[in-house]
Amino acid sequence: MLSGEWLGFVAGALVTSSLVPQLLRVVKLKSAHEISILFTILLLTGIIIWLAYGIFLRLTPIILWNAIGAVLVAGLLYAKLKYGR
Amino acid sequence: MLSGEWLGFVAGALVTSSLVPQLLRVVKLKSAHEISILFTILLLTGIIIWLAYGIFLRLTPIILWNAIGAVLVAGLLYAKLKYGR
């Protein structure tokens, strides 16, 4: 694997996994008042377009991380709608 | 510009700009209790590695969006440390 690819793999893993503690935090607190609805919607839309980009260019790490990321951000959006007040 | 590049440009713009309303929200509320510190640290580290990836492969959109993203997430981390309780 090229050095650049390796960097991209690590960067994608960190960015996507960062969503896990954030999702767990709002679920644990049962509160998402401070989470911006626009943040979750823009992020989810952007991730879905990254996923399309990955499929279009057949880039496996882009497809993998953004598919996982889309599920996590969809969870955050659900938590925002449920606990957002 | 290739179709794939165009998709990547739009996706990066959406993902990076999603951080703006989130940062504004915690600053406006003066509260970041629900923001996970691990979220901000992992995200900031991941974005800095994406920036290194972009510089390494000389990919202008990757450099641009991740440089802006790093500043925004650094702001969110600062807000978390200031208003986190």
Side-chain angles (χ1 to χ4, degrees):
Chain A
M1 197 155 49
L2 296 169
S3 301
E5 278 183 340
W6 182 86
L7 273 178
F9 192 81
V10 173
L14 282 166
V15 168
T16 299
S17 65
S18 75
L19 293 162
V20 175
Q22 185 56 64
L23 178 58
L24 290 177
R25 184 149 179 92
V26 296
V27 169
K28 188 182 158 197
L29 294 172
K30 293 191 195 306
S31 174
H33 175 65
E34 294 166 2
I35 304 298
S36 160
I37 184 89
L38 202 53
F39 165 68
T40 57
I41 291 170
L42 288 173
L43 187 56
L44 186 57
T45 310
I47 286 173
I48 289 167
I49 298 173
W50 271 129
L51 189 58
Y53 170 89
I55 292 167
F56 188 78
L57 297 180
R58 301 189 185 196
L59 298 165
T60 308
I62 302 276
I63 295 169
L64 176 72
W65 295 130
N66 286 289
I68 298 169
V71 173
L72 292 169
V73 179
L76 196 60
L77 178 58
Y78 176 78
K80 172 63 185 174
L81 295 173
K82 194 171 177 188
Y83 305 127
R85 292 291 153 148
Chain B
M1 198 156 48
L2 297 168
S3 302
E5 277 183 341
W6 182 87
L7 273 177
F9 191 81
V10 173
L14 282 166
V15 167
T16 298
S17 66
S18 74
L19 293 162
V20 175
Q22 184 56 65
L23 178 59
L24 290 177
R25 184 150 179 93
V26 296
V27 169
K28 188 182 158 197
L29 294 172
K30 293 191 195 305
S31 173
H33 176 65
E34 294 165 2
I35 303 298
S36 161
I37 183 90
L38 202 53
F39 165 68
T40 57
I41 291 170
L42 288 173
L43 187 56
L44 186 56
T45 310
I47 286 174
I48 289 168
I49 298 173
W50 270 130
L51 189 58
Y53 171 88
I55 293 168
F56 188 78
L57 297 180
R58 300 185 184 200
L59 299 164
T60 307
I62 303 275
I63 295 169
L64 176 73
W65 295 129
N66 286 289
I68 298 169
V71 173
L72 293 169
V73 179
L76 195 60
L77 177 58
Y78 176 78
K80 173 61 186 176
L81 295 174
K82 194 170 176 188
Y83 305 126
R85 292 290 152 146

